[in-house]
Amino acid sequence: MTLVVLIALALWLTASVANQFPGPWTGLLSGLNTFALLPRLHFFAPDPIDVDYHLVFHDFLADGQASPWRQIPTERNGPTRILWSTAKRDHQAMLTTVAGLAGLQQSVAPVVRDPLAAIQLSLPYLFLLHRARQAPRFPESHERQFMIVETTGFGTSRQVALGILSNPHRLD
């Protein structure tokens, strides 16, 4: 049994290393990587990851008007800010959440009868809804809609795109 575990770990390590470099095995590995168990690291040149995700929201007021879009702040002030940056934790949570939703959309949504309901009942979606509902609201607000905004690039070549747009959710 120990030999089987060692062989499985050796295969996983080999596939993880191979997944870092493009080659003829790329298609095979992406097909086998349905559950995202193979890491893909792009921290350094020549092709670093340059994508950021921002959680924004707006409220629908009782008269039907929508408030302006506002961003959920990721950096919090406090006495421990010198020792612990909450922005890093929030950034990692956002990356994990968006990756989870993307995985759901690719693997679960095509095989279920109601993909929107499956996604809205998922833990990543509920996490985003919870974060959006925690933000202060206008007194006359009755619904809130959130959106993930994706920014790519650096400096003046930075581009903004819509990532995920939720349905309006009641605030009662």
Side-chain angles (χ1 to χ4, degrees):
M1 186 62 173
T2 304
L3 183 61
V4 171
V5 171
L6 287 175
I7 290 172
L9 289 174
L11 288 173
W12 179 71
L13 177 64
T14 304
S16 296
V17 170
N19 198 36
Q20 305 309 309
F21 307 101
W25 53 84
T26 305
L28 173 67
L29 289 178
S30 65
L32 294 173
N33 199 18
T34 303
F35 297 106
L37 296 175
L38 298 176
R40 180 88 173 149
L41 307 174
H42 288 284
F43 295 125
F44 306 105
D47 189 23
I49 291 178
D50 61 350
V51 178
D52 284 324
Y53 299 103
H54 310 273
L55 179 59
V56 298
F57 69 94
H58 68 155
D59 291 340
F60 291 100
L61 309 177
D63 63 359
Q65 295 289 332
S67 69
W69 288 98
R70 296 179 284 167
Q71 182 173 349
I72 302 282
T74 56
E75 187 65 41
R76 296 181 195 96
N77 292 328
T80 61
R81 186 169 175 233
I82 293 173
L83 303 173
W84 176 309
S85 174
T86 57
K88 290 179 184 177
R89 182 194 64 201
D90 291 346
H91 179 71
Q92 184 60 45
M94 187 62 66
L95 290 175
T96 303
T97 302
V98 170
L101 283 174
L104 278 172
Q105 186 173 354
Q106 289 177 350
S107 61
V108 174
V111 296
V112 296
R113 194 173 311 155
D114 189 1
L116 184 58
I119 288 173
Q120 287 182 343
L121 291 174
S122 70
L123 188 59
Y125 186 91
L126 293 174
F127 170 76
L128 292 174
L129 178 60
H130 175 71
R131 287 289 313 267
R133 287 185 63 137
Q134 283 183 322
R137 68 185 215 179
F138 294 109
E140 59 274 4
S141 301
H142 72 284
E143 288 183 324
R144 179 162 288 173
Q145 184 176 32
F146 67 87
M147 175 173 47
I148 297 294
V149 176
E150 179 181 294
T151 57
T152 57
F154 297 105
T156 57
S157 66
R158 196 145 184 92
Q159 297 177 349
V160 177
L162 169 64
I164 298 163
L165 179 64
S166 78
N167 289 331
H169 294 278
R170 295 203 55 82
L171 292 173
D172 299 341

